[in-house]
Amino acid sequence: MSKLEDIVSLCKRRGFIFPGSDVYGGMAGTWDFGPLGTMLKKNLMDAWWNYFVEKRDDIYGVDAAIIMNPKTWVASGHVATFADPLVECKECKSRFRADKIADGISESVTTDEFIATHTKCPVCGKENWGPIRKFNMMFSTHVGAVLPEDTQDNPELAAKNVAYLRPETAQGIFTNYKNVIDTIYPSLPFGLAQQGKAFRNEISPRDFILRDRECSQMEIEYFVAPATWEENFEKMRAAQHDFLENIIGLNPNHIHELEVSAADRAHYSKRTIDFMFDYPNGEEELMGLAYRTDFDLTNIERESGKSMAYRDKITGETFIPHVIEPSIGVERIFLAVLSTAYTEDEVDGSARIVLKLPSNLAPYKFCVSPLLKNKPELVAKARAVYDQLRQKYTFVTWDDSGNIGKRYRKQDEIGTPKCIVIDFDTLTDDTVTVRDRDTAEQVRIKIADL
Ligand code: GAP
């Protein structure tokens, strides 16, 4: 099995991630987080929120609706340009994202350029392609009490009721920029942050949770005076490295910056750095840092007829701020964290799987158990220790399944940093054994010092 398959298997076995709608045979491009995955995901999102919002004085949170006025996506350019190159094999009718099956071509590839790569169909092996067509990735839906028969002969009414599931959280931030200026009027530079779901009808969802049709994003739109964009871009770039490497513990040697060429940049960006990560199946985009200029605010001003100008508090000068945007997919950092933590090693002469998660991310920090579960006095003492810790902390778990060796293996696999074991000595001297997940070393300490 490849390392990615090992991680997928661990995720299902231990309740981190299940295929979406598993009981009905799944739903391509969707995944469900189980009890442990939900905790790890929340810890990741909380770590990001704490680092970028709670600990800073210049970034504020917003939580906007997922379904937005459709004008949003006209103004943002998504209706016109949020599309991937779709190509169909004329032999077997399979459809692919052209830039993902041919080497060395970009998203803006033309039919002639694609044909010249002599790519064979990954399904039937033939080389007989139709033209490249642009496939818009937004999911559309209808809002309000409109029946299909109402719009059958009335395309205008149909168009009027179309809404989209947001393909990025960013627009929920931009559309609230004016509300924030009118209410709390922060000094420039300032940022607005949002975490939440985003939806993309990906042509080929793949690589476990790396490319999904429904994902979660954590984005900041950082508003700056136009002349200061470069220095703020550099500060934001450094902050991303600090978060990824020092807060969630990714190996800096596995993160590579890619300066995105003008041809490959999103329609709104004048400069983009993709932070690439060495995943088990190869290098892939982890997150992006983009200079969006005044693209979005200018478009909103035009579509809404409302001024997006900012009035400088000292000079009184008015202008439309420019924007630096760091954008991270939660599933992508989730997989980066898991691939970093997943380790196979040997302890006491036997092989084990261990998730060496940073303790701030681990679903549980402590596991409490009695050495033997059929000794009522040990169980009662262990319960008392557990209850005492549980009153203070949410991240303590109880485990009295199997024997102690099996419990250690299970806690290693779910990444619990410390196992606290109550044995017969505990009954006389109030000390417990604390076992370290990574070294398997055990120390004896007083319950009062836990
Ligand atoms: N607002 C800018 C924006 O959305 P993007 O490069 O399209 O930019 C940002 O997406 C990040 O969102 C990516 O770097 C990735 O981490 C994540 N992401 C995008 N599409 C994704 C998908 N289909 N599945 C999982 N994560 C995705």
Side-chain angles (χ1 to χ4, degrees):
M1 280 211 298
S2 71
K3 184 169 173 186
L4 185 64
E5 285 166 337
D6 289 334
I7 292 173
V8 175
S9 157
L10 171 74
C11 281
K12 185 151 193 199
R13 190 167 71 245
R14 292 298 183 193
F16 282 91
I17 298 176
F18 309 118
S21 318
D22 202 12
V23 76
Y24 293 115
M27 171 88 186
T30 68
W31 298 90
D32 295 345
F33 288 79
L36 292 174
T38 307
M39 291 164 96
L40 176 51
K41 182 180 176 191
K42 184 171 183 309
N43 289 344
L44 261 172
M45 294 173 79
D46 286 352
W48 184 88
W49 194 259
N50 177 256
Y51 182 85
F52 285 107
V53 183
E54 290 169 345
K55 284 211 167 136
R56 291 179 65 136
D57 289 330
D58 59 343
I59 302 186
Y60 308 85
V62 294
D63 187 7
I66 287 177
I67 297 178
M68 302 176 68
N69 188 312
K71 280 184 186 170
T72 310
W73 308 109
V74 176
S76 69
H78 282 79
V79 170
T81 61
F82 191 58
D84 276 343
L86 174 72
V87 67
E88 185 178 287
C89 169
K90 284 200 214 161
E91 301 289 335
C92 71
K93 307 291 177 217
S94 301
R95 292 180 170 192
F96 305 94
R97 205 177 127 173
D99 59 324
K100 293 290 170 198
I101 55 167
D103 286 335
I105 58 168
S106 76
E107 286 172 28
S108 50
V109 60
T110 62
T111 302
D112 287 347
E113 284 163 356
F114 180 73
I115 302 284
T117 61
H118 292 294
T119 301
K120 303 240 180 302
C121 171
V123 173
C124 70
K126 307 245 171 65
E127 193 189 322
N128 185 9
W129 297 105
I132 300 271
R133 287 178 292 165
K134 286 288 178 192
F135 176 75
N136 194 296
M137 291 194 290
M138 282 197 293
F139 281 103
S140 59
T141 183
H142 287 91
V143 174
V146 179
L147 297 165
E149 56 262 38
D150 297 339
T151 56
Q152 223 160 23
D153 303 318
N154 192 343
E156 238 173 66
L157 180 64
K160 216 173 124 197
N161 286 285
V162 161
Y164 300 97
L165 300 186
R166 66 182 179 202
E168 61 170 12
T169 57
Q171 294 305 322
I173 298 179
F174 286 120
T175 47
N176 276 294
Y177 155 87
K178 186 173 159 42
N179 287 334
V180 173
I181 300 289
D182 291 347
T183 49
I184 62 172
Y185 193 13
S187 300
L188 281 187
F190 75 91
L192 296 178
Q194 179 167 220
Q195 300 181 327
K197 293 269 184 176
F199 304 83
R200 299 179 179 194
N201 195 1
E202 295 282 355
I203 297 170
S204 337
R206 65 190 169 85
D207 287 339
F208 190 31
I209 54 172
L210 210 62
R211 190 169 297 284
D212 314 317
R213 293 199 165 121
E214 178 179 333
C215 66
S216 296
Q217 288 186 318
M218 306 194 286
E219 300 197 294
I220 298 169
E221 307 308 322
Y222 197 66
F223 300 94
V224 305
T228 65
W229 81 264
E230 275 163 312
E231 68 188 74
N232 282 302
F233 190 92
E234 287 311 317
K235 282 185 192 161
M236 203 45 98
R237 181 183 188 171
Q240 303 313 307
H241 280 288
D242 189 36
F243 174 73
L244 296 173
E245 292 155 23
N246 301 321
I247 305 295
I248 61 166
L250 299 186
N251 183 341
N253 297 329
H254 292 170
I255 300 170
H256 314 283
E257 288 191 1
L258 174 76
E259 189 75 47
V260 182
S261 69
D264 282 340
R265 278 199 297 265
H267 58 278
Y268 48 71
S269 171
K270 273 248 172 82
R271 184 178 180 198
T272 297
I273 293 177
D274 280 346
F275 285 56
M276 310 297 286
F277 185 78
D278 295 327
Y279 287 99
N281 276 12
E283 194 180 278
E284 281 285 349
E285 180 184 327
L286 171 68
M287 62 160 292
L289 177 65
Y291 168 43
R292 286 181 85 127
T293 67
D294 58 355
F295 177 86
D296 300 272
L297 293 183
T298 307
N299 289 340
I300 292 174
E301 187 168 88
R302 194 189 55 244
E303 284 289 326
S304 69
K306 296 190 178 121
S307 169
M308 294 293 130
Y310 180 88
R311 189 168 186 281
D312 189 279
K313 286 181 181 172
I314 297 163
T315 63
E317 186 197 352
T318 57
F319 54 88
I320 294 191
H322 281 209
V323 171
I324 311 295
E325 178 199 66
S327 173
I328 307 190
V330 175
E331 288 74 9
R332 299 230 177 148
I333 50 170
F334 192 103
L335 189 56
V337 164
L338 278 188
S339 355
T340 307
Y342 184 94
T343 312
E344 289 178 8
D345 63 10
E346 229 178 61
V347 161
D348 303 330
S350 68
R352 69 163 181 170
I353 292 170
V354 52
L355 272 192
K356 295 188 173 179
L357 292 170
S359 56
N360 61 330
L361 300 182
Y364 297 115
K365 324 293 183 212
F366 299 106
C367 171
V368 178
S369 51
L371 180 66
L372 301 167
K373 68 174 177 187
N374 55 359
K375 296 287 173 199
E377 62 275 38
L378 291 188
V379 175
K381 186 73 181 170
R383 270 283 166 199
V385 172
Y386 172 75
D387 289 343
Q388 194 185 327
L389 290 172
R390 198 68 180 83
Q391 271 178 14
K392 264 190 153 179
Y393 306 113
T394 53
F395 45 67
V396 186
T397 186
W398 168 267
D399 192 357
D400 61 5
S401 60
N403 63 37
I404 192 69
K406 284 201 176 127
R407 277 178 237 159
Y408 284 155
R409 292 293 175 272
K410 176 177 160 195
Q411 295 303 323
D412 287 345
E413 280 201 9
I414 65 172
T416 310
K418 304 280 180 195
C419 284
I420 298 167
V421 177
I422 281 71
D423 56 23
F424 290 105
D425 289 342
T426 315
L427 302 179
T428 54
D429 63 7
D430 261 356
T431 64
V432 292
T433 299
V434 179
R435 174 191 179 267
D436 183 81
R437 175 196 67 197
D438 298 345
T439 61
E441 272 168 20
Q442 303 188 7
V443 291
R444 205 100 205 141
I445 66 170
K446 287 242 168 241
I447 291 172
D449 295 337
L450 277 176

